Amino acid sequence: MKSALVTMQHNLSGIVFCNSRAAVKGLLGLIQRETQRIGLGYLTSKVAVFYSSLTGDRRGEIIQKLQAGQIKVIINYSGTEIAASGTFTTNDSPNDLGFYLISEISGMGNGETITGLQATRTPIPGNQPFELDNLISLNTVQLTGDGFGYSTSGRNYSSPFFAIFLPTRGYLEVFSVPPFVSGFENLGSEDSELPISFSASIIPVPEATSIVSLLALGTFSTHLAQ
């Protein structure tokens, strides 16, 4: 953080590389708080975050401002930003549409350990008011428009769902990192809602303990759609 502040104070330019999107947002927050504390709040407009899931328009805007000297410091993260895999447990009876209720989840999400399932009928932080139903199916479309959500060890949240509002329907994932500001319209530039591929399959349950449905244990995976 200190090197970024010195760079801006001396009208120099530089790039700070971070190893995760959460680190990008955390560093940006530190810079904003410190510049306000020392009476240099105007410098925050000279900092921009830059990573691969930004829209082309936003990337172009940042590059133009950097070339014009309006931006002095870029905080950068480059990596596979949406990738998750793991297992889940469901109830043993589907609803009338063939969807099972997820009760537990484990695995890895965006390079971090999945720490828990977001409670049903609540939104993930930062994506209010969109509540989750935590339903999964073996149908061609495996998620509903409400989707499911989970937290990770980095205090980040993800919510895959099936977007029926798209011209070409498909899966999207909301990715939200702290600090969280209530309301989906307040998703920051470090947050995202991007197309993904999603698949879930059955893990066979041994007959000796098979008093639940075949979907009671399953695997899932997501990755950034190409």
Side-chain angles (χ1 to χ4, degrees):
M1 181 187 69
K2 183 178 291 185
S3 60
L5 291 176
V6 170
T7 296
M8 290 186 292
Q9 286 177 290
H10 288 80
N11 204 34
L12 302 173
S13 300
I15 299 177
V16 179
F17 291 95
C18 296
N19 60 5
S20 72
R21 290 177 57 173
V24 168
K25 194 164 187 176
L27 178 58
L28 180 61
L30 285 173
I31 291 173
Q32 291 171 337
R33 290 190 295 273
E34 182 63 15
T35 52
Q36 291 293 334
R37 186 187 70 81
I38 62 178
L40 298 174
Y42 68 92
L43 290 177
T44 58
S45 65
K46 297 182 181 293
V47 183
V49 298
F50 196 96
Y51 46 79
S52 60
S53 65
L54 291 178
T55 65
D57 288 345
R58 178 56 180 159
R59 289 197 296 268
E61 178 186 354
I62 291 173
I63 292 171
Q64 286 181 352
K65 287 185 175 181
L66 181 66
Q67 292 172 337
Q70 296 171 289
I71 288 176
K72 291 297 183 183
V73 173
I74 287 178
I75 307 175
N76 181 70
Y77 164 63
S78 179
T80 303
E81 301 185 54
I82 293 184
S85 62
T87 62
F88 50 76
T89 303
T90 73
N91 64 338
D92 60 350
S93 299
N95 63 18
D96 292 342
L97 297 177
F99 285 86
Y100 296 79
L101 180 65
I102 302 171
S103 58
E104 296 181 15
I105 190 170
S106 62
M108 298 293 293
N110 301 304
E112 300 171 345
T113 302
I114 294 175
T115 54
L117 183 71
Q118 180 70 21
T120 302
R121 290 302 165 202
T122 66
I124 62 170
N127 196 40
Q128 294 84 352
F130 297 111
E131 297 180 350
L132 311 168
D133 58 21
N134 288 331
L135 294 177
I136 185 79
S137 173
L138 293 178
N139 298 333
T140 302
V141 176
Q142 296 190 282
L143 299 177
T144 69
D146 295 328
F148 70 95
Y150 58 86
S151 58
T152 68
S153 55
R155 299 188 300 116
N156 304 315
Y157 289 82
S158 290
S159 176
F161 66 99
F162 188 74
I164 61 173
F165 54 82
L166 295 175
T168 301
R169 296 180 176 186
Y171 296 106
L172 294 177
E173 180 175 272
V174 175
F175 181 75
S176 183
V177 304
F180 304 109
V181 180
S182 181
F184 73 96
E185 69 276 7
N186 295 316
L187 286 176
S189 58
E190 303 82 6
D191 306 312
S192 63
E193 184 179 60
L194 296 173
I196 60 168
S197 296
F198 177 87
S199 64
S201 58
I202 296 170
I203 295 178
V205 179
E207 289 187 7
T209 59
S210 183
I211 59 174
V212 294
S213 73
L214 287 177
L215 193 60
L217 291 173
T219 63
F220 74 94
S221 65
T222 69
H223 62 271
L224 192 63
Q226 300 300 316

